[in-house]
Amino acid sequence: MTVHVLLFAAAKAAIGQATVAVELPAAPRVADIRAELQRRFPALQPLLARSWIAVNQQVAAVDYPVAASDEVAWIPPVSGG
Amino acid sequence: MLELVEATIDLAQVLAAVQDPRAGASLLFVGTTREYTGDQRTTELHYECYPAMARQQLQHLAEQARRQWPLTAVALVHRLGPVPIGEASVAIAVSAPHRAAAFSAGQWLLDTLKQQVAIWKREQFADGTQVWQHPDSSGAGISATPSPAHD
């Protein structure tokens, strides 16, 4: 299953795109997204480790299941305000 | 008033948005771009957000504040894009019948916005370097998960 992960801030700057398509096994969970992002972008692993993954605009735990229609985002540590 | 704006924040408008005859206290917090942090000179901050998530989160913050404290109104406005020195990046206004709730809720809203809302700042320094700020809140890895969260 292909999931398009929205990118922001340092992740977006490093990867150079606003989204990245990741290939996942069937019935993926957030953990699978993290693992695939880590594999694709090893230099960003320290940032990823401190980041949230959001599914449909809400932070999701690692075992949360992801559907093909879900909106997924890599949320690095926030710094608003 | 819960807004993400791309231009100068109208601070008078933010304060006016919480005026209520039931309120004895109104509070306006303004966060501005600071020029010096220690010896480092900042020349500009640039803010980016995940709009769909940030908007929901601002809504949720206002609702949570109103559940936790007796308030008459809440306004949250964050600016996006470049914010020069001395200009406002965020404005938070609350009103309440009594001042204790206004002070407490105002502080909580700012602190929680800074911990949870999907907004990021890129800091530009006097030497021209630009750094996205991704603070480590506790040093223990992933910081407090915003609620509601998927389990």
Side-chain angles (χ1 to χ4, degrees), chain B residues 68-82:
Chain B
Q68 292 189 73
W69 288 278
L71 304 174
T72 45
V74 173
L76 303 170
V77 179
H78 203 297
R79 184 173 172 182
L80 303 170

Side-chain angles (χ1 to χ4, degrees), chain B residues 3 14 51 57 88 151:
Chain B
E3 291 181 9
V14 178
Q57 289 177 304
D151 309 308

Side-chain angles (χ1 to χ4, degrees), chain A residues 35-48 74:
Chain A
E36 183 59 12
L37 288 172
Q38 199 166 303
R39 188 190 71 78
R40 291 268 301 273
F41 309 107
L44 296 177
Q45 193 278 333
L47 179 67
L48 178 61
W74 175 345

